Amino acid sequence: MERNNSTVVTEFILLGLTQSRDIQFLVFALILIFYLIILPGNILIILTIRSDPGLTAPLYFFLGNLAFLDASYSFIVVPRMLVDFFSEKKVISYPGCITQLFFLHFLGGGEFLLLVVMAFDRYMAICRPLHYSSVMNSRACYVMVLAQWLGGFVHSIIQVVLILRLPFCGPNQLDNFFCDVPQVIKLACTDTFVVEILMVFNSGLLSLVCFVGLLSSYAIVLCHIRKSSSEGKNKAISTCTTHVIIIFLMFGPAIFIYTRPFRALPADKVVSFFHTVIFPLLNPVIYTLRNQEVKFSMLKLLTRPIVC
């Protein structure tokens, strides 16, 4: 990688979420509690779906993958953030920053696409029930999940390649608690207008298009449900409502951060904190509270006697 300046940045200094020590300790305690819920919650969903023969429908297969993505996503930012609370100087190396950025968008992009797949699953199940079993077969589900992972990789690698081509010669302070595209790009020692536009198209426009498309598809599904008189009407409405809640929680922060020019706003850190720390916690909570089958299976798994 060619650098145009004599000084090359080898590390970035993270300014963190806040400079107040009292607030830092309070946030540390809250994050630790959240983190102790995130992993068990998502792992419990995965174990429940894999161990219960009654949860073999595509909906639960995708839900298991969503829980895996959330559990993996929680490893990208939170552990280092907890350690940094006790560090006087919060430093991350240039390769470490790029790696964190890559996995953040790899898993985040994959989750975006998985939500699209889950919306398609609900559309087929409710609006095209006669074709559901033939379209959403086991092979098709695995292909969709593979495409979701591939799509997340392509989305992320584009951003990494664009950033790797930028020269960094200082300053090297990131006004955040982790490495992300907007803050890193603004430290480049060159005009980044074109790169910012490409990033907005890659992340921002993708988020916005998926968000509008998902809301439109669920609007069609909910209209179809309201016109029907089937016995599973309430269950279908509950499932779709859950998915819509997740869509708002997932896409709202992403649209706020990536669909505008990369200019720092006071709310950026709060939105990023919600998106990287709080949101993964909400998936298992929302799904287990609103999905009776998963909740019942979890209770069976937790109360099952241990055989030595």
Side-chain angles (χ1 to χ4, degrees):
M1 180 170 54
E2 183 178 303
R3 305 284 186 181
N4 298 327
N5 299 276
S6 57
T7 305
V8 177
V9 169
T10 59
E11 63 182 24
F12 294 103
I13 299 174
L14 302 172
L15 298 183
L17 187 63
T18 177
Q19 299 301 313
S20 170
R21 297 299 296 178
D22 293 336
I23 297 178
Q24 283 186 17
F25 283 120
L26 176 61
V27 173
F28 173 83
L30 291 175
I31 292 175
L32 187 60
I33 294 172
F34 290 150
Y35 196 62
L36 292 176
I37 296 174
I38 289 173
L39 286 181
N42 285 286
I43 292 173
L44 183 58
I45 289 178
I46 297 170
L47 293 177
T48 300
I49 292 174
R50 290 187 63 86
S51 63
D52 193 334
L55 300 178
T56 57
L59 171 64
Y60 303 113
F61 172 72
F62 296 135
L63 176 56
N65 280 274
L66 184 64
F68 177 78
L69 278 170
D70 280 328
S72 302
Y73 193 85
S74 67
F75 277 109
I76 302 172
V77 174
V78 178
R80 183 182 184 89
M81 186 180 181
L82 292 174
V83 173
D84 282 344
F85 276 121
F86 297 96
S87 304
E88 289 296 327
K89 190 176 182 182
K90 305 171 180 61
V91 177
I92 183 171
S93 67
Y94 178 82
C97 181
I98 297 300
T99 301
Q100 187 181 66
L101 189 151
F102 168 78
F103 281 105
L104 187 74
H105 286 271
F106 174 42
L107 297 176
E111 190 159 349
F112 278 17
L113 297 176
L114 182 58
L115 291 176
V116 173
V117 170
M118 294 176 74
F120 177 73
D121 172 73
R122 290 302 84 202
Y123 172 80
M124 291 301 301
I126 295 170
C127 300
R128 298 289 186 271
L130 298 179
H131 303 282
Y132 181 74
S133 59
S134 60
V135 174
M136 299 301 296
N137 55 59
S138 178
R139 181 179 179 183
C141 291
Y142 279 106
V143 170
M144 290 180 184
V145 169
L146 179 62
Q148 158 239 309
W149 283 101
L150 181 60
F153 176 80
V154 172
H155 159 71
S156 185
I157 202 66
I158 289 174
Q159 305 203 91
V160 169
V161 168
L162 289 173
I163 289 178
L164 288 176
R165 294 173 62 87
L166 296 175
F168 293 93
C169 56
N172 65 338
Q173 289 187 339
L174 291 173
D175 189 17
N176 212 330
F177 55 93
F178 69 104
C179 286
D180 200 8
V181 172
Q183 292 81 27
V184 174
I185 284 182
K186 297 311 295 183
L187 295 182
C189 304
T190 186
D191 182 16
T192 60
F193 177 77
V194 175
V195 177
E196 288 185 37
I197 294 298
L198 293 175
M199 292 294 190
V200 168
F201 271 95
N202 185 35
S203 292
L205 188 61
L206 176 64
S207 302
L208 187 60
V209 169
C210 288
F211 177 72
V212 173
L214 285 168
L215 288 186
S216 301
S217 66
Y218 278 112
I220 294 172
V221 170
L222 289 171
C223 288
H224 183 88
I225 294 172
R226 292 189 63 182
K227 294 177 182 178
S228 67
S229 57
S230 60
E231 295 181 358
K233 181 177 180 179
N234 292 334
K235 177 184 174 182
I237 291 177
S238 178
T239 301
C240 290
T241 302
T242 301
H243 289 193
V244 171
I245 293 172
I246 295 295
I247 288 168
F248 273 101
L249 293 175
M250 180 69 180
F251 285 88
I255 291 172
F256 176 81
I257 294 172
Y258 299 115
T259 56
R260 58 182 171 83
F262 294 162
R263 300 292 182 269
L265 295 177
D268 284 351
K269 286 186 182 181
V270 177
V271 174
S272 297
F273 176 75
F274 179 83
H275 190 54
T276 57
V277 179
I278 305 299
F279 175 75
L281 166 67
L282 297 179
N283 270 350
V285 173
I286 292 174
Y287 275 110
T288 52
L289 289 179
R290 298 185 63 88
N291 192 301
Q292 295 299 323
E293 286 82 359
V294 175
K295 187 161 57 175
F296 180 71
S297 296
M298 281 185 176
L299 290 175
K300 286 199 305 181
L301 182 65
L302 292 173
T303 56
R304 182 186 302 174
I306 299 176
V307 180
C308 297

